[in-house]
Amino acid sequence: MANDITFSMIKPEAVKEGNAGAILKMIEEAGFKVSAMKMTKLSKFRAGQFYAVHADRPFYTDLCDYMSSGPIIALRLKKDNAVNDFRKLIGATDPQKAEEGTIRKLYARSIQENAVHGSDSDANAKIESDFFFSGIEKY
Ligand code: UDP
Ligand code: MG
């Protein structure tokens, strides 16, 4: 199925604050199956590559500093309608605008330190998963 994969990261502040387990529990309870998972630390260069689409935005340099400030947990997730359902589960980019019960409402600190990443399209879900995981790491 084309639309059954999304890619997520549990971002540095959420890992540092010990929220990774609670976030993963919410993801699994929402019906997503973990298809690949790894903890790793992005260099500033790698963070810049991952977020290259935002290179012209004013927040890009800060975003790359933040995303390389500590380890992240990369996740490839499977579910029907994965991309859209996952965006609903995480809530709006700005936690103040995120709906009650969403991961960002519960765990984000700010529009930048917003706990989790979620792909915005099926095409980007594949690109982002392949950025982190090789063929033998995806189940
Ligand atoms: N971001 C930020 N300031 C902004 C908008 C975004 O620091 O004004 C950061 C935030 O961490 C966000 C990431 O840049 O998750 C990517 O932005 P995007 O608009 O793609 O939001 P997302 O898809 O993560 O909701
Ligand atoms: Mg985005």
Side-chain angles (χ1 to χ4, degrees):
M1 208 182 301
N3 62 346
D4 70 349
I5 290 292
T6 193
F7 174 79
S8 178
M9 279 185 277
I10 303 177
K11 294 186 176 183
E13 95 287 2
V15 172
K16 266 181 207 150
E17 290 172 7
N19 292 325
I23 290 170
L24 199 50
K25 186 164 192 278
M26 284 183 73
I27 291 171
E28 290 190 325
E29 284 180 351
F32 293 87
K33 300 276 181 219
V34 176
S35 139
M37 174 161 67
K38 75 167 70 159
M39 190 175 202
T40 186
K41 188 166 177 294
L42 291 166
S43 64
K44 199 173 165 181
F45 178 76
R46 286 283 180 209
Q49 285 185 318
F50 185 85
Y51 282 112
V53 66
H54 293 309
D56 295 334
R57 308 288 291 279
F59 59 81
Y60 178 70
T61 303
D62 280 353
L63 175 62
C64 295
D65 286 341
Y66 156 57
M67 287 302 298
S68 57
S69 66
I72 58 93
I73 295 171
L75 296 162
R76 184 176 188 263
L77 301 169
K78 280 192 191 174
K79 184 183 182 299
D80 286 352
N81 202 32
V83 167
N84 290 333
D85 284 359
F86 195 73
R87 295 293 305 201
K88 274 185 215 142
L89 178 66
I90 68 178
T93 308
D94 180 351
Q96 293 194 331
K97 295 181 185 152
E99 282 184 42
E100 291 299 328
T102 59
I103 292 175
R104 283 171 166 168
K105 184 72 178 185
L106 286 164
Y107 295 110
R109 285 178 170 179
S110 68
I111 193 168
Q112 179 185 75
E113 294 183 304
N114 60 3
V116 279
H117 169 80
S119 303
D120 62 7
S121 66
D122 292 339
N124 283 336
K126 176 167 171 39
I127 290 167
E128 292 171 358
S129 297
D130 291 348
F131 185 90
F132 281 92
F133 300 112
S134 71
I136 57 166
E137 295 175 309
K138 293 181 280 196
Y139 297 94

